[in-house]
Amino acid sequence: VGYGDFSPVNSIEKLFGSLFMLLNIVVAAWIVGSVTLLIVKGDEKTGSYRDNLDSLQQYGRMHDFDDTFMDMLKSQLKLGFQNEEISDDQVLKPFPSAVRRKILR
C-alpha cells in the first residue's frame, strides 16, 4: 500500500493489509455520504424557500399587489424561513402521552 516502502510478506500481513484497505474504503465512503447528506438537506430547505417565493411572486402578479406590499410579504416569508423551529409536537411525538404531558406542564 502506498509507495511500496513497506509491503506484506506473509499471508497474515497480506490479510491485514487487505482488511485495512477495505476499512479505509468504508470509512471514506461513509464520510463522503455524510457530507453529501448535509449538502442535500440544506439545499432541499433552500429549494422549498425558493418555491414558496416563486409562488408568492406569481400570486402577487395575478392579484396586482403593489411593490411595497410585495416587499412586506417577501420579508415575512424570509423571516419565517430563517426562524423556522421544530414544534413541541414534532419533538415529543415518539414519547408516550404520559411523558408528553409531564414535559408540557
Side-chain angles (χ1 to χ4, degrees):
V1 180
Y3 296 109
D5 298 343
F6 303 103
S7 58
V9 178
N10 59 32
S11 299
I12 294 175
E13 291 173 350
K14 290 178 183 179
L15 179 64
F16 175 77
S18 298
L19 292 176
F20 185 72
M21 285 186 271
L22 288 174
L23 177 68
N24 283 328
I25 290 171
V26 169
V27 169
W30 177 76
I31 290 170
V32 169
S34 297
V35 170
T36 302
L37 181 64
L38 290 173
I39 291 170
V40 167
K41 285 287 184 181
D43 193 41
E44 190 176 286
K45 186 177 177 186
T46 304
S48 173
Y49 170 72
R50 288 182 186 149
D51 290 344
N52 287 339
L53 187 61
D54 288 342
S55 298
L56 176 64
Q57 288 174 339
Q58 289 176 2
Y59 188 78
R61 281 193 301 269
M62 194 168 47
H63 293 286
D64 295 325
F65 292 159
D66 63 348
D67 291 339
T68 307
F69 187 61
M70 279 301 296
D71 289 341
M72 287 175 27
L73 291 174
K74 288 178 189 178
S75 295
Q76 183 63 38
L77 184 65
K78 184 177 182 181
L79 180 68
F81 174 74
Q82 290 173 341
N83 296 326
E84 192 175 78
E85 294 182 17
I86 299 174
S87 69
D88 290 339
D89 292 338
Q90 289 174 326
V91 174
L92 300 176
K93 186 177 181 180
F95 296 100
S97 59
V99 173
R100 286 190 299 239
R101 275 187 253 123
K102 185 175 182 177
I103 291 172
L104 294 174
R105 284 187 187 168

